[in-house]
Amino acid sequence: MKSISHFAIKKSVTTIMLIITMVGAGVLGMLGMSSQLLPDFDIPVSIINITWIGASPEDIDKLITSEVEDALTGIDGIKNINGYSSQNISTVVVQFNYGTDTDEKIREIQTKVNNIKKDLPSDIGEPFIDKFDINAQPILIYNLFGSDLVELNSLAENIIKPRLEKISGVGEIRIKGGLKEEILVELEPEKLAAYSLDIMQIKSILSSSNINIPLGNLKEGDKEFIVKVIGEIKTIEQVKNIVVSNNGGQLVKLSDVANIKLSTEDVESFARQNGEPSIRIEVIKVKEGNTVNIAEEAKKVMENLKESLPPGINTVLATDFSIPIKQSIGTVSNNAIVGIILASIILLIFLKNIRATLVVAIAIPVSVVFTFALLPLKNITLNVISLMGLALGVGMLVDNSIVVIDNIYRHLTELKEDKFTASANGASEMSVPIIASTATTVAVFLPIVMREGMAKEIFHDMSFSITFALISSLVVALTFVPMAASKFLDPKKSITKEGKILVNLKRVYVKILDRALKHKIITVLIAFLMFIGSIGLATLTIKTEFFPQMDQSEYLVKAKLSKGLDVKKADLIAKSMEKIVKADKFTVNYSTAVSKENITINIKTLEKNERKETINDIISQIRPKLANIPDAKITVSASSGGPGGGSDGGVQLKIYSDDLDKLSVFSQIVLEKVKKIPGLVDVKSSYEGGNPELKLDIDRDKAQYYGLRVSDIAFLISYQVQGTDAFTIKTSNKDVDVKVRIAEDYRNSIEKILDLELNTRFGKIKIKDIASFKLEEGAAQIEKENKSKIITISANTDNIDLRTATAKIKEVIKELDIPAGIRYDFGGDQEQFVDVMKDLLFGFGIAIFLMYFILASQFESFTMPIIIMGSLPLSIIGVLIGLAITRVKFNIMVMVGIIMLAGIVVNNAIVLIDYINVLRARNHPLIEAIKIAGRTRLRPIIMTTATTIFGMLPLALGIGQGTEFYQGMAIAVIFGLLFATLLTLILIPVLYSIEESIRIKFKNKHKLKYETSIYKN
């Protein structure tokens, strides 16, 4: 290491160019990085969707979902398989173990599904298999307003959507609401019967009537022509004139057997902005897309389109998710800058030398900026968590430089060396200690990314940003600091001169240390009791949560509607909800999306700095007002960017059984009990009363006698009731589907459907001759996890924490007589909390071992690392007291703060123990060496602790957008470091004294035995 510092001093121009290159590379790296709120979480989940029109949930489960589940069981790396069987659709969600190559597994799934297609119903839709992307959420939501919803839909689909899709990074444009034109062909059964026609024949004729067929090339003389048959239909009149029968020259046109009109498709959804009907346009980015850049480009496109929109049509930007990203990143960046300033001020106060302060302080911006050159190498984006790592590390970045500059001044003042020699020797002497110190800090972060799991996904970016920054600061400390010191420091101005405050502080400290050394057992006992007491305090006062909730000045109201409601009834329910939301004093605007089964209202509130109430306070006020709306299960939750944020229920109880009837009865009992638990709100069950179903019971023997297959009958009735698209008329600016179905009077009557006729080999028969309808209630959805049927009871919390909620639900379950064959477990935030904590504790264990390894190597001792790591439990005392005082909840971010502390607090102990050993090597008595070392190292320990604490202080204050993410972590580090430093200065010397006394006593005893044996011999 000596050669590095000597080289840096001798080659000062090269060193300066190195620093300039580091800064330049960092700036270039930062300019090319993508900006988003959170990292790209790679969730190893794939989804298989298979449609089967007209099928009930029971049939879907038996004939599709179960078959797919069985086919997938042989694939390695699967953690869970969840099956959802609903009306018309089977959804199988496959969750793999973290670290699995999901793309490779999707190919395996595709092969497995293809192999069983022959065993699935013949009329299913093509299986759709895709990878789940947690980032596939809208980054912009526009609402398009106008008087004609048909025109709006056409404009959105054919003008706006193609323009937005051209933007680099856009993955999908979703259009919701509005009306779409169609040509409706309503067949009259009596007229069809008169001409011996049925709907299947009509559909076939229409489909073949709209074609363009190329015939090849025709050469005539020296010219060549492309020949094709033009059979394309372009107008409704052409549709009416399609010939459907020719009986001996008597032509039957489509208009002779059907009523044909220009209509609109059946309404499936509604969209509104502030209660006004609109078209909702959602912009979805690809995973790698830069949210901020895409949003800016999309806003430019929409602004340019405004000029060409027809009169009376306008667009409104309802939601812009790039704004909270820019605000959050800006807040973290500003906090980091403030942290740099505060840390520099602390340096100036202690060093009392502007030149020395500048030399040390420059390590912070250089290290931070150069980190941006390294982050893209790990595919890390600019996000709250990666920047949080830099902001948290601001105070630590000067530690190495402080140690180096302090030692350089020692060589200048005490050893009277010239600037060049002092700078070279001072930096070289401290190279091993600061490398060891940096290694112990880095060692606590790398294990987090060694183990595949959710913890790695969440903290990957933070771990590498802190690691890269610390390594950068080490490079600066070993190169730039000694070079700058050799050029700019004034040896006449000492940085070691102590003021009155520090002199008095040292005198008080030595007195306390002296008493502690005289009462070692009592000192250790007090520390132990403080540790136990802090844990007791935590149990009583500290609440838990999975992930800190971020106040984005938005919240969601979601309603799951009762089965069997049509979309118009759903819209009436939505309007009732909108009325309540609109009347709330905090509402700025709201956007509504309505379907038959779900209602979603996204509410924008006053900004965080414009109100005293938190977003949770607003939610608590609005929730009771929405509770009594009938036919809807309503949940209210904050819009949050973190895992679990904005979910339908953070607390989830999963109940399993193979007997659905027994499961539904027991889950209903549990549901009623859970609803009565204070603090649990939005309580609901995933099991619902079933769809009202008219089941067509076909006499298979009769059907076979007439030469009819069950699928033929099902298709025929499906076409008649639901209708079918025969072809699409394509024009330059829009596409219009031509739909064929039976007239409405026949579709909405059971008796008339049964009177419809079928063509058989024996002539015509009526449907009622071979089939009948039965009115039943079927399951709305059959849900399974790893082939066991499951019902999930979910809830949100209100003034109750996750740990308490889980404990109260467990108490409810224990009071019940659980039937045989039923078991339960917790999902949601509790399951994720446990999984992430396991990963973090595993990483923490590895970190402790790595730290022990580094310290054992540095001190060449097995016991010394144990004494040094005695700082860790001391830091826990501070963390728990800090959380209790600030009322911040314990979550995974706080746990990472504790892990981070492990790498920081030992540095003070290392500095202290290392100097004690130096003095012991100079033959100082044990107690004298401890006191001298304590007094000498008090100043640098306080200085490094102060810079770290003040560097993190802006984060801990929680001022600005997005601070909820890292506030708990910063509080944990600040209080943990503060208490660990104060107690380390007392307890670590005491433990060292005890260990040395035992070692000396054991050594003397062994020596005495050895001398006695020599004497006897």
Side-chain angles (χ1 to χ4, degrees), residues 389 392 396 438-450 459-460 462-464 466-467 470 843 847 850 896-897 899-901 903-904 969:
L392 287 169
M396 295 186 290
T438 303
T440 56
T441 307
V442 170
V444 303
F445 291 105
L446 292 184
I448 295 177
V449 297
M450 287 170 56
F459 301 111
H460 173 275
M462 187 195 76
S463 298
F464 277 107
I466 292 180
T467 298
L470 289 175
L850 291 176
V896 172
I899 295 174
M900 186 176 180
L901 270 172
I904 300 174
M969 182 187 292

Side-chain angles (χ1 to χ4, degrees), residues 111-296:
T111 301
K112 295 284 187 181
V113 172
N114 289 339
N115 290 340
I116 63 164
K117 281 180 71 173
K118 62 181 183 300
D119 301 322
L120 302 178
S122 59
D123 52 335
I124 63 170
E126 187 64 27
F128 178 76
I129 303 171
D130 198 12
K131 182 179 180 180
F132 173 71
D133 183 6
I134 195 174
N135 303 293
Q137 303 296 327
I139 61 172
L140 287 178
I141 299 177
Y142 273 93
N143 284 95
L144 190 63
F145 295 96
S147 57
D148 188 345
L149 291 178
V150 173
E151 183 184 9
L152 289 180
N153 186 279
S154 177
L155 186 64
E157 289 283 356
N158 301 300
I159 305 297
I160 298 176
K161 183 178 179 179
R163 292 285 297 275
L164 291 174
E165 286 176 332
K166 292 179 181 179
I167 298 173
S168 176
V170 170
E172 181 185 1
I173 303 296
R174 295 175 186 165
I175 309 294
K176 295 182 178 180
L179 298 173
K180 186 177 180 181
E181 273 188 331
E182 70 176 6
I183 294 175
L184 183 60
V185 178
E186 290 190 314
L187 299 172
E188 299 287 345
E190 291 88 351
K191 293 180 180 179
L192 286 176
Y195 293 108
S196 299
L197 295 169
D198 61 32
I199 191 171
M200 302 288 280
Q201 292 171 305
I202 297 296
K203 179 184 182 300
S204 177
I205 291 168
L206 294 183
S207 297
S208 61
S209 298
N210 185 52
I211 54 173
N212 285 338
I213 303 176
L215 300 180
N217 296 336
L218 174 66
K219 289 185 178 181
E220 186 177 81
D222 58 352
K223 295 183 178 180
E224 186 174 342
F225 303 93
I226 298 174
V227 183
K228 62 179 180 179
V229 174
I230 304 297
E232 190 174 10
I233 293 175
K234 295 185 177 180
T235 67
I236 189 171
E237 291 302 320
Q238 289 177 308
V239 175
K240 291 179 179 179
N241 291 325
I242 293 175
V243 176
V244 296
S245 177
N246 184 351
N247 187 9
Q250 182 183 1
L251 300 180
V252 179
K253 296 181 179 180
L254 184 61
S255 57
D256 296 328
V257 295
N259 177 29
I260 304 164
K261 60 184 178 181
L262 185 62
S263 181
T264 58
E265 292 182 352
D266 292 339
V267 177
E268 296 293 336
S269 65
F270 292 98
R272 283 188 293 274
Q273 175 74 15
N274 296 329
E276 186 179 349
S278 65
I279 298 289
R280 183 181 173 108
I281 303 171
E282 299 178 351
V283 180
I284 317 294
K285 77 177 186 71
V286 296
K287 183 178 179 181
E288 298 80 13
N290 187 319
T291 301
V292 175
N293 289 349
I294 294 170
E296 291 302 320

Side-chain angles (χ1 to χ4, degrees), residues 606-648:
L606 295 171
E607 291 296 332
K608 185 179 175 181
N609 59 359
E610 297 175 348
R611 50 182 162 84
K612 295 180 181 178
E613 293 81 358
T614 67
I615 196 69
N616 285 331
D617 293 334
I618 296 172
I619 289 171
S620 296
Q621 293 174 22
I622 202 78
R623 184 180 281 122
K625 300 175 184 178
L626 294 164
N628 297 322
I629 293 178
D631 297 321
K633 294 179 179 179
I634 297 174
T635 59
V636 190
S637 58
S639 298
S640 177
S647 64
D648 290 340

